[in-house]
C-alpha cells in the first residue's frame, strides 16, 4: 500500500513539473513574439529590377530581396513593406509613417541633414546618359546643351543636374517625370525629351518589356553609392542592418542577388 501511494505521488509531481515547464515555454514564446519590433519599409513598385511588381503580382527586385535577406538575419525585427510613389518616400519617413526606405537611395547634403544613412553600401548605381536607340547625336551631357533631359523630380540625378547646370550656364533644359512608371520613356519616345539618366539594368528591363528601345551612351555620369535610409533616432536599427549587410556580403548572398536582378555584381564599384 505504501509503495502504491509513493507511486501515485511521483505521478502527481511529474505532472506538476511538466505543467510548469509548459507554462514557462509558453511564456517565453509569448515574450519572444512581443519583443520582435516591426519595421515598416517604404519602397516603390515602378523601378525595374529594384522594386517592382512581377507578372505574378509579387513585390520583388534587388532592394526588396536584400531587405528580406536582412529580415532573416535579424531575429529581433520583422520587416514589412509599404509601397508608394517615389516622391512620397522622404515625406513618409520624415513624418514617421515608415521606419526605413529601400529604393536605390543615394546620399546628398539635403537628405543627410534630415535622415540617417547606414554605413555599409549594399549596391552601386551607375547612371549613364540614355537616349532612344536610333539617336546617334548624343554621347554626353555636353551634347545636351539646348536639349531636354528628363529625370525624377526628387532623385539624385535631379540634384546632380541642377549643380551641373549652375556650373555650365544652365544650358540643359531639365524637365521632371510625372508619377507614371513609364513617363520618362513615353517622353523620349514622343520626342518631348531628348535624354534621361538611367542604369544599364533598368534599360535592359525596359527594352525587354517594351517595343520602344533605348541605349546608354558615353561614360558613367554618376556612380552613386546606394544605402538604406532611416530616421535620425534609429541608430540601433541602422547599426544592426549594417552588421547584417556585412554578413550577406561575406557569405555571397548580396553578389547572388545583384547578379540575379541586375545582370552583374553591382555590390562592388565598376
Amino acid at each position: 500500500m505504501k509503495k502504491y501511494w509513493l507511486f501515485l505521488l511521483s505521478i502527481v509531481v511529474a505532472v506538476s513539473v511538466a505543467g510548469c515547464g509548459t507554462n514557462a515555454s509558453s511564456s517565453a514564446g509569448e515574450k519572444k513574439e512581443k519583443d520582435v519590433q516591426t519595421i515598416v519599409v517604404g519602397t516603390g513598385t515602378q523601378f525595374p529590377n529594384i522594386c517592382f511588381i512581377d507578372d505574378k503580382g509579387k513585390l520583388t527586385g534587388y532592394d526588396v530581396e536584400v531587405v528580406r535577406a536582412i529580415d532573416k538575419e535579424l531575429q529581433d525585427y520583422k520587416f514589412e513593406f509599404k509601397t508608394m510613389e517615389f516622391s512620397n518616400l522622404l515625406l513618409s519617413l520624415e513624418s514617421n509613417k515608415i521606419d526605413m526606405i529601400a529604393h536605390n537611395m543615394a546620399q546628398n547634403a539635403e537628405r543627410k541633414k534630415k535622415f540617417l544613412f547606414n554605413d555599409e553600401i549594399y549596391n552601386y548605381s551607375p547612371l549613364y546618359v540614355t537616349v532612344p536607340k536610333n539617336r546617334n547625336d548624343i554621347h554626353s551631357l555636353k551634347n545636351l546643351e539646348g536639349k531636354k533631359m528628363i529625370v525624377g523630380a526628387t532623385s539624385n540625378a535631379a540634384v546632380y543636374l541642377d549643380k551641373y547646370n549652375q556650373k555650365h550656364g544652365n544650358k540643359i533644359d531639365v524637365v521632371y517625370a510625372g508619377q507614371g512608371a513609364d513617363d520618362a520613356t513615353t517622353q523620349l519616345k514622343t520626342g518631348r525629351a531628348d535624354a534621361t539618366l538611367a542604369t544599364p539594368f533598368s534599360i535592359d528591363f525596359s527594352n525587354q518589356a517594351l517595343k520602344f528601345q533605348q541605349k546608354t551612351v558615353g561614360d558613367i555620369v554618376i556612380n552613386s553609392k546606394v544605402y538604406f535610409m532611416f530616421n535620425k533616432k534609429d541608430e540601433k536599427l541602422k547599426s544592426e542592418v549594417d552588421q547584417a549587410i556585412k554578413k550577406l556580403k561575406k557569405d555571397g548572398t548580396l553578389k547572388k542577388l545583384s547578379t540575379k536582378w541586375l545582370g552583374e555584381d553591382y555590390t562592388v564599384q565598376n
Side-chain angles (χ1 to χ4, degrees):
M1 190 69 177
K2 184 178 180 181
K3 288 182 179 180
Y4 169 77
W5 285 111
L6 287 172
F7 174 71
L8 188 60
L9 181 61
S10 67
I11 292 175
V12 172
V13 171
V15 170
S16 298
V17 170
C20 289
T22 301
N23 290 337
S25 176
S26 176
S27 297
E30 288 174 9
K31 183 177 186 300
K32 185 177 180 182
E33 186 68 28
K34 289 176 182 177
D35 286 347
V36 173
Q37 182 181 350
T38 298
I39 304 299
V40 181
V41 182
T43 192
T45 60
Q46 302 176 343
F47 195 150
N49 295 42
I50 294 292
C51 47
F52 70 107
I53 305 296
D54 67 13
D55 55 8
K56 296 179 181 177
K58 179 187 176 184
L59 177 67
T60 190
Y62 178 70
D63 279 36
V64 173
E65 298 307 329
V66 169
V67 171
R68 286 177 175 147
I70 291 170
D71 194 11
K72 290 178 182 178
E73 295 294 328
L74 301 180
Q75 300 301 309
D76 290 340
Y77 299 99
K78 179 182 179 183
F79 292 77
E80 293 183 351
F81 291 102
K82 185 173 184 178
T83 60
M84 62 189 71
E85 295 288 350
F86 177 77
S87 58
N88 293 330
L89 285 170
L90 296 180
L91 182 60
S92 295
L93 185 61
E94 189 174 9
S95 58
N96 295 306
K97 291 179 181 177
I98 58 175
D99 305 298
M100 176 176 165
I101 296 176
H103 199 294
N104 202 61
M105 303 300 288
Q107 291 183 356
N108 62 46
E110 185 179 350
R111 290 173 182 174
K112 287 183 76 173
K113 284 180 184 177
K114 292 184 177 181
F115 306 108
L116 191 65
F117 288 83
N118 62 305
D119 297 322
E120 198 68 22
I121 299 159
Y122 71 93
N123 196 29
Y124 287 87
S125 186
L127 294 176
Y128 293 79
V129 173
T130 301
V131 297
K133 205 162 190 176
N134 60 2
R135 288 199 70 159
N136 298 308
D137 60 324
I138 298 172
H139 306 284
S140 68
L141 289 178
K142 190 167 180 60
N143 300 134
L144 283 161
E145 293 179 1
K147 296 181 174 64
K148 285 186 178 180
M149 176 167 250
I150 184 167
V151 291
T154 58
S155 67
N156 223 38
V159 174
Y160 177 87
L161 287 174
D162 183 52
K163 290 180 180 178
Y164 178 91
N165 249 349
Q166 289 177 24
K167 189 176 179 180
H168 296 86
N170 293 307
K171 294 180 180 179
I172 300 174
D173 182 7
V174 179
V175 295
Y176 301 109
Q179 297 287 358
D182 299 320
D183 187 51
T185 299
T186 300
Q187 294 207 40
L188 288 178
K189 183 179 179 180
T190 58
R192 294 200 302 273
D194 298 285
T196 187
L197 286 176
T199 60
F201 52 81
S202 65
I203 295 306
D204 287 345
F205 184 94
S206 177
N207 285 347
Q208 290 172 25
L210 304 172
K211 289 182 179 180
F212 176 65
Q213 300 291 286
Q214 302 169 70
K215 63 182 178 182
T216 58
V217 296
D219 297 324
I220 295 172
V221 176
I222 316 169
N223 199 11
S224 300
K225 297 174 181 177
V226 178
Y227 305 87
F228 295 115
M229 291 177 67
F230 309 86
N231 282 302
K232 285 280 190 182
K233 61 182 175 60
D234 286 332
E235 282 280 356
K236 182 175 181 290
L237 173 61
K238 182 218 79 164
S239 178
E240 294 192 22
V241 167
D242 274 331
Q243 293 306 311
I245 293 172
K246 286 179 183 178
K247 186 175 179 182
L248 294 170
K249 280 183 178 178
K250 189 174 181 180
D251 68 15
T253 299
L254 281 194
K255 181 178 180 179
K256 286 180 183 177
L257 289 173
S258 182
T259 302
K260 175 181 178 179
W261 290 105
L262 310 180
E264 60 181 274
D265 183 12
Y266 285 98
T267 64
V268 293
Q269 192 164 13
N270 296 309

